[in-house]
Amino acid sequence: MKIYHETNSFLEECFHTLEAPVPPPSAIKQGKGWVLRYDEKYHCLELAIVQKLARYISGLNASLLLLESGYTQELGAIFRTLDEFQEDIVFLALPIVGGIEITETHKKYLEQFFQEEFDNPGNAILSTQKRDTIPRKKIWAVIANSGQSGLNPHDQREVSRTISQIYSGYVHGASCHICDMIGGDPLHYFLSGMAGTPRQAEFAYNYWDYTYRGLISVVFAAKALGEAEIVERGYKFIEYFEATTDDTGSGDPEKLMKKVKRKNA
């Protein structure tokens, strides 16, 4: 686990460099209390990228704590959020570094992202507004059509859909996933984590992917925010991470997709 702790510390260090130029939020009166909010003039792609990256890195830190304690069910739920946070970072960065025009999907996303949860903060029950979130399929379409993944749009959308489905059952509590809490002799539910069981090893194997995608997300965010030094440091750390874990995220996307299709056939 040492390399994961080291990587998470690196990601935090990079994030603090990226957030430094961003004007801080101000305290505003809301209901009976005060909250921190960014001025509307800063409601842009770059700020949304910083905030999504904050959630990704925080979630990765939380995931490592759960992994070490064997709480695989809860870990699966966080993995599901990390899937979306990483997609959001790529989606938001594309008009800046991906050579595409900002789309209506981007504009609506930003509008809804910065929207308050309640239009009557003093009484949530009397609030009337609803958060009309952007369908995930529209975000997948923008990413797929950008041509950045190396896959054709159809296959990229299928990859996104599949990733979204893998851990969805952990969020909603599907029976097939809850059954993964059962083990031992006699069979019983593990209610205090599954440390020492094959489930912990399984999720330890999957944690590599989320750490690697965290590194990719930092590089993507740094490119969008114009932080060339972080981009360079990010690429060097990715090489170090691959060498230390003896695993790599490289490969021809089209060839990998064809291999998967042949295997399934």
Side-chain angles (χ1 to χ4, degrees):
M1 296 294 182
K2 181 181 178 182
I3 182 59
Y4 293 138
H5 285 282
E6 185 179 353
T7 303
N8 289 358
S9 294
F10 173 77
L11 292 174
E12 287 190 45
E13 180 185 346
C14 289
F15 177 83
H16 291 313
T17 300
L18 295 177
E19 73 164 331
V22 179
S26 302
I28 64 169
K29 185 71 173 176
Q30 190 175 94
K32 296 180 180 180
W34 295 82
V35 296
L36 291 174
R37 292 291 184 271
Y38 288 98
D39 191 291
E40 286 190 12
K41 63 183 177 182
Y42 301 122
H43 289 188
C44 59
L45 294 168
E46 290 84 352
L47 177 55
I49 290 170
V50 169
Q51 291 197 283
K52 287 293 184 177
L53 185 60
R55 279 299 310 270
Y56 193 100
I57 296 174
S58 176
L60 200 60
N61 280 327
S63 297
L64 190 52
L65 292 174
L66 291 171
L67 175 61
E68 290 175 333
S69 299
Y71 282 94
T72 56
Q73 292 284 310
E74 295 72 21
L75 181 55
I78 293 185
F79 278 175
R80 179 64 182 80
T81 67
L82 296 183
D83 289 333
E84 289 201 2
F85 294 152
Q86 196 232 351
E87 284 178 350
D88 289 345
I89 291 169
V90 173
F91 163 75
L92 291 164
L94 283 174
I96 306 173
V97 301
I100 71 170
E101 295 292 328
I102 188 167
T103 65
E104 284 300 315
T105 302
H106 285 98
K107 295 175 182 177
K108 290 180 180 179
Y109 181 100
L110 290 176
E111 178 184 345
Q112 293 164 10
F113 177 67
F114 290 108
Q115 173 185 307
E116 288 295 330
E117 200 66 53
F118 302 107
D119 54 12
N120 185 348
N123 192 321
I125 293 178
L126 297 180
S127 293
T128 59
Q129 77 184 50
K130 296 180 180 179
R131 184 175 294 281
D132 187 22
T133 55
I134 297 293
R136 189 55 35 179
K137 288 183 179 180
K138 289 190 175 182
I139 293 175
W140 296 343
V142 171
I143 295 174
N145 294 333
S146 71
Q148 293 290 310
S149 69
L151 292 172
N152 65 70
H154 176 269
D155 282 348
Q156 178 55 49
R157 286 194 296 272
E158 284 302 296
V159 168
S160 297
R161 181 190 61 77
T162 302
I163 290 175
S164 174
Q165 189 173 346
I166 290 174
Y167 291 105
S168 180
Y170 288 95
V171 175
H172 304 294
S175 174
C176 59
H177 293 297
I178 296 175
C179 283
D180 290 344
M181 297 173 65
I182 303 173
D185 185 15
L187 291 174
H188 64 280
Y189 282 92
F190 284 76
L191 303 180
S192 299
M194 302 197 72
T197 72
R199 295 299 175 196
Q200 186 180 33
E202 173 188 336
F203 275 82
Y205 178 81
N206 293 336
Y207 189 82
W208 185 97
D209 296 316
Y210 289 90
T211 307
Y212 193 88
R213 287 161 66 186
L215 289 166
I216 296 298
S217 295
V218 160
V219 170
F220 225 78
K223 287 182 178 180
L225 298 170
E227 293 287 347
E229 181 183 352
I230 297 298
V231 174
E232 183 178 355
R233 290 182 60 199
Y235 279 131
K236 287 182 179 178
F237 198 95
I238 288 172
E239 292 179 0
Y240 167 72
F241 181 78
E242 291 178 338
T244 304
T245 60
D246 195 27
D247 203 348
T248 174
S250 63
D252 186 313
E254 287 287 356
K255 289 182 179 179
L256 291 173
M257 179 57 73
K258 289 178 181 179
K259 181 179 179 180
V260 170
K261 288 180 177 179
R262 286 198 300 268
K263 183 177 179 180
N264 289 341

